[in-house]
Amino acid sequence: AATAEISTHAQGAVAGAEDTSSNISGVSRAAEETRGTAAEVLEASSALSRQAEVLRTEVARFLADIRAA
């Protein structure tokens, strides 16, 4: 009886360890996806910043031309 109980608990421990391992793998995959998405957001925001600077320069030039006219 004790041996059967130990076996049952050992099987439960193994199942728990497998679940934990699976969960850790899932978290690892999610972290990798998040890292990739963060890189894309950084790239997009950098591009937007560059475009805003170009627009700011063009507007300043346009306003200077209007004042000079």
Side-chain angles (χ1 to χ4, degrees):
T3 304
E5 188 175 337
I6 291 170
S7 175
T8 299
H9 289 299
Q11 289 173 355
V14 168
E18 289 172 349
D19 288 345
T20 299
S21 178
S22 176
N23 289 340
I24 290 171
S25 294
V27 168
S28 179
R29 281 191 301 275
E32 187 62 34
E33 289 175 14
T34 300
R35 185 178 310 126
T37 301
E40 290 174 9
V41 169
L42 177 60
E43 183 179 330
S45 66
S46 294
L48 182 58
S49 178
R50 288 188 299 274
Q51 291 173 358
E53 185 58 37
V54 168
L55 181 58
R56 188 177 302 116
T57 301
E58 290 178 3
V59 167
R61 186 177 303 132
F62 174 73
L63 293 175
D65 289 347
I66 289 176
R67 287 187 197 109

